């Protein structure tokens, strides 16, 4: 059964997210274990009792987009039901543990807004919450499995296992153990262990329970008996995970499925397709039964994919490390968590834009089927939407955004240039005015500065006139003949506005007054925002500007040249707001320069 999810994003001022889900129903009527959540009506219901969930990262790497989603879903389920969210560090792979990774994992989770109720740094009744400090507990439970016949010691050396693996690889067979050591008697096994002979402890998977745990391979039996205790005495993920979930009283686990081909939790027989393979969850179910414990409830979500269909991975060069979104891209934590929550969760809210509290209030177990393609365009939309909310609330999150902007500006613009633009104004107050005038275009601090550099530094109008492509658009003899007098008249009229009245409201009224008696279209053109996407007038100039420049209506051509003079043709707030933001001195200097340059181009 293949399930797919296709998400199309529209890069326009209004966000449209269309999800096309192609669901193929399984042809089997086989019942699924009661411990599996699917996306039917029953699974959407929340647990009746408070859920105890956990996130158990390994400090062999850093928090990436996929692991943040796993943590977030478990966190939201706990908070939605009034339960507890536990953080547990699975550091049994000592060879691959990265120094400092645990602290960075904790820091990144807290930055994303996920505070744990139990775990490292906060403690709790079921600690310690670091697996390397719980080794004796795992060894005790491994001995219990040995005593009950659910596990056995395997003394096969690396050389034999390599030969066995190579032999099966040549035959094109799955690399599985042949259970050679399972026939060793318990007394002999115990004696060899006591003599110090190296060994691992393997789970003896009941062959009648799960397909692929036992099958014939060219006349020989093959078993998938996972290792529980390694030769160094440390537990593997399988044993530690099950023991810890039981002792920490975990009730619900949300995790990414290993493969879209795996039918999770189904007890199948040998007649099933050999394409399917045993995932970790069925192994864990076998362990729970061996101990006589009740498993937690599991829910599986699809994996995250690139547009190409490849699995999103931290190892293939993608910048999907959470710290990269924070430190390199300048994302806010709440929009990122909002974005991650939507990667596989199907909600019924009126808007995709949700605060962390709204996510907690709305979360349920309705997950989209199949894998999810990650489009970062939606993240930038959410960043803009949350910024609009922050600007309106004027709270702590808004001031954090101001701090990000301030730091980005100081790294790119000299103090002398800033002094010219500020004209004695406070930088924070100036930035606040810019954001409020155009908050719907804020994605990241660096992007916002790039889009609004004309409000923070000098413009270079002569450069556009010297470039052949932009010159063709700007120096149209027929357009200039009528545009220059009209532009000069508007600029002269703006010179009459005193500094005390240089504000958006007064400037809007003045621009309206200046075009009375004209075509009447200048008022509509100058006092509305330009929301079209664009960079420089000579590159990504919107069609709107071309229309204005070539229009037979003088007022529209004046609008074209005014926006070029003030903002190098870039989109942004209405003209009266732009003039007010720049201040009287800078705005009139740019307009005077533009008139002079255009007149010179005619000579």
């Amino acid at each position: 059964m293949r399930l797919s999810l296709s998400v199309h994003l529209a890069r326009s001022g209004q966000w449209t997210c269309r999800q096309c889900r192609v669901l193929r129903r399984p042809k089997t009527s086989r019942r699924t274990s009661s411990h599996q959540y699917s996306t039917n009506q029953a699974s959407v219901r929340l647990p009746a009792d408070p859920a105890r969930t956990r996130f158990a990262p390994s400090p062999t790497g850093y928090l990436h987009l996929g692991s943040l989603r796993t943590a977030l879903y478990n966190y939201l389920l706990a908070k939605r039901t009034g339960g507890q969210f536990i953080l547990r560090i699975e550091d049994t792979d000592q060879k691959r543990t990265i120094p400092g990774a645990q602290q960075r994992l904790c820091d990144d989770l807290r930055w994303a807004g996920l505070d744990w109720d139990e775990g490292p740094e906060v403690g709790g009744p079921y600690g310690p919450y670091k697996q390397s400090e719980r080794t004796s507990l795992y060894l005790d439970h491994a001995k219990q499995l040995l005593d009950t016949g659910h596990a056995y010691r395997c003394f096969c050396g690396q050389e034999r296992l390599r030969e066995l693996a190579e032999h099966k690889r040549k035959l094109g067979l799955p690399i599985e153990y042949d259970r050679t050591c399972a026939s060793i008697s318990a007394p002999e096994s115990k004696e060899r262990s006591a003599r110090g002979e190296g060994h691992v402890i393997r789970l003896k998977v009941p062959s009648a329970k799960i397909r692929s745990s036992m099958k014939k391979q060219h006349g020989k039996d093959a078993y998938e008996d996972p290792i529980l205790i390694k030769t160094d005495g440390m537990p593997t993920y399988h044993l530690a995970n099950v023991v810890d979930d039981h002792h920490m009283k975990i009730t619900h686990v949300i995790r990414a499925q290993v493969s879209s081909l795996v039918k999770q939790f189904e007890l199948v027989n040998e007649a099933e397709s050999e394409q399917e393979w045993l995932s970790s969850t069925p192994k864990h179910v076998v362990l729970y039964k061996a101990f006589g414990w009740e498993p937690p409830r599991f829910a599986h979500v699809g994996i995250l994919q690139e547009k190409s269909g490849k699995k999103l991975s931290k190892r293939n060069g993608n910048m999907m490390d959470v710290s990269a979104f924070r430190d390199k891209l300048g994302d806010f934590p709440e929009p990122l968590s909002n974005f991650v929550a939507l990667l596989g969760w199907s909600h019924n809210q009126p808007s995709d834009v949700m605060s962390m509290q709204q996510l907690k209030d709305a979360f349920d177990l309705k997950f989209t089927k199949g894998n999810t393609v990650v489009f970062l365009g939606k993240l930038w939309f959410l960043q803009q939407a949350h910024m609009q909310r922050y600007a309106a609330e004027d709270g702590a999150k808004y001031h954090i955004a101001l701090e990000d902007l301030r730091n980005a500006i100081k790294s790119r613009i000299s103090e002398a240039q800033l002094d010219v633009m500020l004209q004695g104004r406070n930088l924070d107050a100036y930035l606040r005015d810019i954001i409020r005038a155009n908050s719907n275009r804020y994605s990241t601090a660096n992007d916002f500065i790039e889009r609004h550099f004309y409000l923070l530094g000098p413009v270079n109008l002569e450069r556009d006139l010297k470039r052949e492509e932009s010159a063709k658009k700007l120096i149209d003899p027929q357009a200039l003949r009528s545009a220059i007098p009209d532009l000069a008249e508007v600029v002269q009229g703006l010179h009459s506005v005193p500094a005390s009245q240089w504000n958006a409201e007064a400037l809007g009224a003045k621009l309206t007054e200046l075009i009375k008696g004209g075509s009447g279209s200048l008022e509509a053109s100058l006092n509305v925002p330009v929301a079209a996407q664009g960079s420089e007038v000579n590159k990504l100039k919107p069609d709107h500007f071309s229309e204005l420049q070539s229009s037979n209506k003088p007022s529209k051509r004046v609008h074209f040249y005014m926006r070029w003079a003030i903002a190098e043709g870039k989109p942004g707030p209405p003209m009266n707001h732009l003039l007010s933001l720049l201040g009287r001195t800078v705005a009139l200097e740019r307009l005077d320069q533009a008139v002079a340059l255009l007149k010179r181009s005619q000579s």
Side-chain angles (χ1 to χ4, degrees):
M1 176 178 67
R2 287 189 177 273
L3 304 172
S4 63
L5 168 65
S6 177
V7 180
H8 302 280
L9 306 180
R11 296 177 179 270
S12 62
Q14 296 295 325
W15 179 261
T16 303
C17 181
R18 294 172 294 167
Q19 297 186 352
C20 180
R21 305 180 182 93
V22 182
L23 304 179
R24 298 179 182 175
R25 297 185 179 275
K27 296 181 180 180
T28 177
S29 60
R30 182 172 52 250
R31 293 180 63 186
T32 304
S33 165
S34 61
H35 295 295
Q36 179 192 18
Y37 280 122
S38 62
T39 53
N40 56 28
Q41 185 61 34
S43 69
V44 178
R45 300 192 191 107
L46 292 166
D49 299 318
R52 279 182 63 85
T53 65
R54 49 81 171 166
F55 176 55
S58 170
T60 57
Y62 304 120
L63 192 69
H64 57 89
L65 214 58
S67 54
L68 176 60
R69 182 185 65 163
T70 299
L72 180 63
Y73 284 171
N74 284 281
Y75 171 81
L76 292 175
L77 179 59
K79 299 308 171 184
R80 179 75 169 84
T81 60
Q84 298 83 42
F85 173 64
I86 291 88
L87 175 63
R88 186 174 72 222
I89 304 299
E90 297 192 341
D91 61 340
T92 56
D93 192 347
Q94 295 290 304
K95 293 181 180 179
R96 294 178 56 227
T97 296
I98 298 174
Q102 177 182 328
Q103 186 59 53
R104 182 161 155 184
L105 285 166
C106 292
D107 293 343
D108 288 347
L109 283 172
R110 281 210 172 96
W111 173 82
L114 279 64
D115 291 315
W116 49 99
D117 301 292
E118 300 173 25
E121 302 179 3
V122 300
Y126 302 104
Y129 294 89
K130 192 173 180 179
Q131 287 186 339
S132 60
E133 299 173 1
R134 301 168 63 87
T135 306
S136 60
L137 180 66
Y138 309 133
L139 293 176
D140 289 345
H141 283 79
K143 183 179 182 301
Q144 178 182 335
L145 293 175
L146 288 171
D147 293 342
T148 58
H150 291 291
Y152 60 93
R153 295 183 182 90
C154 175
F155 297 92
C156 293
Q158 291 296 317
E159 184 176 350
R160 181 184 184 278
L161 293 175
R162 277 196 296 269
E163 290 176 355
L164 179 64
E166 184 61 29
H167 174 69
K168 292 191 174 185
R169 190 179 293 110
K170 288 179 179 179
L171 294 175
L173 300 174
I175 301 173
E176 296 172 339
Y177 185 54
D178 59 3
R179 204 175 268 185
T180 295
C181 294
S183 60
I184 300 174
S185 66
E188 180 186 348
S189 173
K190 190 173 183 179
E191 181 184 351
R192 291 172 66 174
S193 172
R195 293 201 306 262
E197 186 173 348
H199 65 277
V200 299
I201 297 178
R202 291 181 182 271
L203 174 67
K204 192 172 184 178
V205 177
S207 58
K209 294 293 183 184
I210 303 179
R211 189 218 65 79
S212 157
S213 62
M214 174 180 177
K215 58 188 175 186
K216 291 286 185 179
Q217 296 183 355
H218 288 253
K220 296 182 179 180
D221 289 338
Y223 305 82
E224 188 173 358
D225 290 351
I227 295 174
L228 303 179
I229 299 292
K230 297 178 285 188
T231 54
D232 60 2
M234 293 294 288
T236 61
Y237 161 75
H238 304 297
L239 178 63
N241 184 278
V242 168
V243 170
D244 285 344
D245 279 356
H246 173 72
H247 284 278
M248 293 180 183
K249 303 186 184 304
I250 302 302
T251 62
H252 296 78
V253 175
I254 303 175
R255 58 195 287 184
Q257 64 186 25
V258 181
S259 169
S260 60
L261 297 177
V262 176
K263 294 184 179 73
Q264 304 285 9
F265 290 93
E266 295 187 0
L267 304 185
V268 296
N269 55 45
E270 295 182 32
E272 288 296 325
S273 166
E274 299 222 345
Q275 290 291 322
E276 294 189 26
W277 54 285
L278 188 62
S279 73
S280 60
T281 305
K283 295 175 187 176
H284 295 177
V285 171
V286 171
L287 267 172
Y288 278 107
K289 291 187 175 183
F291 284 121
W293 297 337
E294 180 71 17
R297 297 230 170 207
F298 294 91
H300 287 81
V301 295
I303 62 174
L304 301 182
Q305 292 182 326
E306 301 175 353
K307 288 176 64 176
S308 63
K310 293 182 180 179
K311 179 182 176 182
L312 200 67
S313 173
K314 58 184 177 181
R315 297 184 179 92
N316 63 4
N318 291 299
M319 199 166 70
M320 292 299 159
D321 190 320
V322 169
S323 62
F325 285 97
R326 177 188 64 228
D327 302 332
K328 296 182 180 179
L329 299 179
D331 286 295
F332 301 142
E334 202 167 35
L336 182 62
S337 294
N338 188 175
F339 171 67
V340 169
L342 300 176
L343 296 175
W345 173 50
S346 180
H347 66 84
N348 59 0
Q349 301 303 299
S351 170
D352 279 350
V353 182
M354 287 179 269
S355 67
M356 182 62 82
Q357 186 58 52
Q358 289 173 316
L359 289 173
K360 293 177 187 178
D361 295 339
F363 189 73
D364 56 27
L365 295 170
K366 187 177 181 182
F367 300 123
T368 57
K369 291 194 173 184
N371 300 329
T372 301
V373 178
V374 176
F375 290 97
L376 292 180
K378 185 155 192 176
L379 173 58
W380 313 140
F381 161 75
L382 292 171
Q383 183 92 334
Q384 293 170 2
H386 280 275
M387 186 59 183
Q388 285 181 280
R389 180 168 61 85
Y390 296 161
E393 294 172 352
D394 195 18
K397 294 174 182 177
Y398 182 57
H399 291 278
I400 291 174
L402 280 178
E403 179 68 21
D404 291 343
L405 271 175
R406 191 187 308 114
N407 293 335
I409 287 170
K410 289 181 178 178
S411 67
R412 297 184 56 181
I413 303 173
S414 68
E415 288 189 16
Q417 287 180 325
L418 271 180
D419 289 341
V420 171
M421 301 302 298
L422 291 174
Q423 302 174 61
R425 292 174 289 185
N426 176 269
L427 177 59
D428 282 359
Y430 184 50
L431 291 176
R432 187 179 292 110
D433 290 341
I434 296 175
I435 291 173
R436 286 177 174 169
N438 215 15
S439 62
N440 65 330
R441 296 189 61 79
Y442 188 103
S443 53
T444 67
N446 286 326
D447 177 74
F448 194 77
I449 291 171
E450 183 66 29
R451 290 175 182 270
H452 300 86
F453 194 82
Y454 58 87
L455 290 170
L456 300 164
V459 296
N460 193 338
L461 303 182
E462 289 188 81
R463 174 195 59 194
D464 288 331
L465 292 176
K466 291 177 181 179
R467 290 178 177 174
E468 182 178 356
E469 182 181 354
S470 57
K472 287 180 180 178
K473 297 172 183 176
L474 290 165
I475 309 174
D476 182 307
Q478 182 177 357
L480 281 176
R481 272 195 296 272
S482 56
I484 290 178
D486 292 334
L487 177 62
E489 182 180 349
V490 171
V491 172
Q492 183 180 1
L494 290 173
H495 271 276
S496 67
V497 179
S500 61
Q501 297 179 23
W502 196 268
N503 56 68
E505 183 178 357
L507 289 168
K510 185 64 176 179
L511 289 172
T512 301
E513 174 192 329
L514 290 171
I515 53 105
K516 278 185 177 179
S519 65
S521 61
L522 184 58
E523 178 182 5
S525 298
L526 291 178
N527 293 331
V528 296
V530 177
Q533 299 238 351
S535 177
E536 294 176 349
V537 69
N538 61 299
K539 291 203 293 187
L540 302 176
K541 189 169 64 123
D543 293 338
H544 179 57
F545 293 144
S546 299
E547 176 190 346
L548 293 174
Q549 192 266 354
S550 60
S551 173
N552 290 325
K553 297 179 179 180
S555 56
K556 286 191 175 183
R557 289 197 295 270
V558 169
H559 178 203
F560 169 81
Y561 285 108
M562 281 194 74
R563 185 159 286 275
W564 166 70
I566 292 297
E568 294 183 316
K570 292 183 179 180
M575 184 56 62
N576 57 325
H577 284 273
L578 281 179
L579 294 172
S580 176
L581 285 168
L582 282 172
R584 188 177 188 276
T585 301
V586 174
L588 292 178
E589 282 180 357
R590 290 185 183 181
L591 290 170
D592 289 341
Q593 182 191 22
V595 172
L597 288 171
L598 292 173
K599 286 181 177 179
R600 192 186 313 157
S601 68
Q602 281 192 306
S603 59

